[in-house]
Amino acid sequence: MNAVTFELKKTDRSTKARLGEVTTPHGKFATPVFMPVGTAATVKAMRPEEVAGLGAGIILSNTYHLYLRPGHEIIREAGGLHSFMNWKGAILTDSGGFQVFSLGDLRKITEEGVAFRSHIDGSSHMFTPETSMAVQNALGSDIIMAFDECAPYPADRAYVKQSLERTTRWLKRCKDAHLATETQSLFGIMQGGMYRDLRKQSAEEIVALDLPGYAIGGLSVGEPKDLMYEVLDDCVDHLPQDKPRYLMGVGSPDCLFEGVERGIDMFDCVLPTRIARNGMAMTSVGRVAIKNAVHERDFSPLDPNCGCDTCRNYSRSYLRHLYKSNEILSSMLLTHHNLYFLVHLMEQIRESIEQDNFLELKKDFFQKYGRF
């Protein structure tokens, strides 16, 4: 029995956009959904209770970072990640694959796995599919991701083909190593770079394993957005209708709309929290750089069309003052707003699919938001 299940409820009449619901041991959440990222068991500048209060039913944490600090055995002793960080909803953990492959000269890939040196203290480690499963089992997340190789962009066809075939072999090892429980489900990851036929090959290989869900990896890694959308057009067609589809590492509003239109159910990205710490806000009329002098005497809300606590209680002038003064509250308030903005944007998207006017919402949003 799968710990995580998916119910497809409706498909948009004009696009591949769809409404669904994912059931996990820690509750249900509606799709399409944006998952706030809590890399090190914390969504930066937010208390877990605040994140839940925004309406988020699932967050993402990262295996690589938690393995290095504080260590998965400590989290196991704490009763698992939910207990450790006081998060009541669902948790998805990334396998650590993207992080170790991003280490460059600090790592070496073999068929066995990836040998790497910690970015924290330079200590030596080995991550294998079995290691990733053991760590994620200890973390106790609801959805665990397979250990995969994320090919860079650009990459030649021969390398990408070799890489995706290794990813499939690693996925089989992940499935064998994953402890069969009623509390966790393993998702596979499609690779294949920017090559449509290799994407199809990867999809066929991972779908054959009949997993509870599938992710699309290796996109939003530096390629032009138009190319990403072109590749994505084909990707979803090779994945089952009755399983959730997760586009990894994507979270700007334009990409959310484009992904939903192509049939994606789940998204995650550090973008809203990262840009908040840099004084940038997403609003209904486009991005706002709060440090700009134009906001110095602007006592209006950050976004007059937003109902979040930040917009209801604080002016642009005050937010600019906080940012210019390097006050911690700046990151807290802007992060709260950006996550509220995306969580509620996904609510609007779900409503538009239900009412069969998704394309109208998309057109209206793009006209108001402006250039990305």
Side-chain angles (χ1 to χ4, degrees):
M1 180 179 295
N2 290 326
V4 175
T5 58
F6 175 73
E7 180 186 357
L8 177 60
K9 295 192 169 185
K10 188 179 189 298
T11 301
D12 182 56
R13 64 184 178 185
S14 303
T15 69
K16 298 176 185 176
R18 56 204 219 142
L19 277 178
E21 184 176 72
V22 175
T23 301
T24 80
H26 289 87
K28 301 178 180 181
F29 58 87
T31 62
V33 65
F34 174 78
M35 301 180 287
V37 175
T39 301
T42 172
V43 176
K44 286 181 172 59
M46 295 279 286
R47 291 176 7 332
E49 298 87 344
E50 292 178 297
V51 180
L54 298 177
I58 180 172
I59 62 170
L60 179 146
S61 284
N62 185 263
T63 297
Y64 165 83
H65 290 281
L66 295 174
Y67 162 80
L68 290 177
R69 188 169 52 194
H72 57 290
E73 289 301 339
I74 289 177
I75 295 177
R76 188 204 300 273
E77 291 174 26
L81 195 52
H82 293 86
S83 176
F84 187 59
M85 67 178 294
N86 191 35
W87 175 255
K88 312 300 184 186
I91 298 176
L92 181 151
T93 44
D94 188 359
S95 69
F98 180 79
Q99 283 69 34
V100 295
F101 293 115
S102 299
L103 292 173
D105 293 339
L106 294 177
R107 55 95 171 126
K108 180 179 180 181
I109 306 169
T110 66
E111 183 63 26
E112 177 63 17
V114 183
F116 65 95
R117 295 200 307 276
S118 165
H119 73 285
I120 298 173
D121 60 11
S123 56
S124 297
H125 302 267
M126 181 73 177
F127 245 47
T128 67
E130 292 77 14
T131 304
S132 180
M133 293 299 97
V135 175
Q136 292 186 80
N137 288 158
L139 296 178
S141 47
D142 302 272
I143 298 173
I144 66 176
M145 300 305 301
F147 190 63
D148 65 323
E149 180 179 353
C150 182
Y153 174 83
D156 66 73
R157 179 186 175 82
Y159 174 84
V160 173
K161 180 175 174 61
Q162 179 187 59
S163 172
L164 81 85
E165 290 172 349
R166 178 185 287 129
T167 287
T168 300
R169 293 192 295 272
W170 283 357
L171 174 57
K172 293 175 180 177
R173 288 167 57 187
C174 286
K175 186 177 181 183
D176 290 341
H178 172 48
L179 298 176
T181 70
E182 296 181 357
T183 59
Q184 292 182 308
S185 283
L186 171 67
F187 281 22
I189 303 175
M190 177 204 293
Q191 290 291 346
M194 306 300 143
Y195 303 95
R196 292 187 175 191
D197 60 324
L198 296 185
R199 285 282 173 178
K200 180 180 179 182
Q201 175 187 337
S202 178
E204 290 173 346
E205 291 175 356
I206 65 174
V207 168
L209 297 177
D210 191 26
L211 299 169
Y214 300 95
I216 299 170
L219 292 179
S220 192
V221 291
E223 78 280 6
K225 285 185 177 180
D226 288 346
L227 177 57
M228 180 179 79
Y229 299 148
E230 183 181 322
V231 174
L232 194 57
D233 277 330
D234 283 347
C235 286
V236 287
D237 292 338
H238 304 309
L239 295 175
Q241 286 280 337
D242 61 346
K243 303 288 179 68
R245 304 158 176 166
Y246 165 30
L247 180 57
M248 306 180 79
V250 169
S252 62
D254 55 330
C255 288
L256 293 176
F257 272 103
E258 297 293 347
V260 167
E261 186 171 346
R262 289 162 173 80
I264 297 296
D265 305 302
M266 300 167 63
F267 304 83
D268 83 281
C269 194
V270 298
L271 178 71
T273 52
R274 178 174 291 168
I275 66 173
R277 297 193 300 277
N278 291 312
M280 186 72 70
M282 301 174 178
T283 78
S284 59
V285 291
R287 286 194 184 189
V288 171
I290 204 65
K291 66 181 177 182
N292 290 350
V294 68
H295 306 300
E296 185 176 15
R297 288 181 169 82
D298 187 343
F299 303 109
S300 64
L302 181 61
D303 184 346
N305 301 312
C306 179
C308 80
D309 287 347
T310 299
C311 291
R312 287 190 293 109
N313 295 296
Y314 304 101
S315 69
R316 292 188 177 200
S317 175
Y318 181 63
L319 293 171
R320 180 179 186 272
H321 158 69
L322 293 176
Y323 182 78
K324 298 291 284 186
S325 302
N326 293 317
E327 288 290 343
I328 295 172
L329 187 56
S330 170
S331 295
M332 295 168 64
L333 294 178
L334 290 176
T335 299
H336 177 97
H337 166 80
N338 281 350
L339 288 181
Y340 180 100
F341 181 81
L342 288 188
V343 168
H344 285 265
L345 177 62
M346 299 309 287
E347 285 185 5
Q348 295 174 53
I349 287 175
R350 291 194 296 269
E351 291 173 3
S352 74
I353 298 171
E354 179 67 43
Q355 298 167 7
D356 284 316
N357 63 359
F358 170 75
L359 289 179
E360 288 87 343
L361 174 67
K362 177 186 174 184
K363 180 180 178 181
D364 181 65
F365 181 86
F366 275 50
Q367 286 177 339
K368 293 178 181 176
Y369 199 89
R371 295 178 60 86
F372 290 90

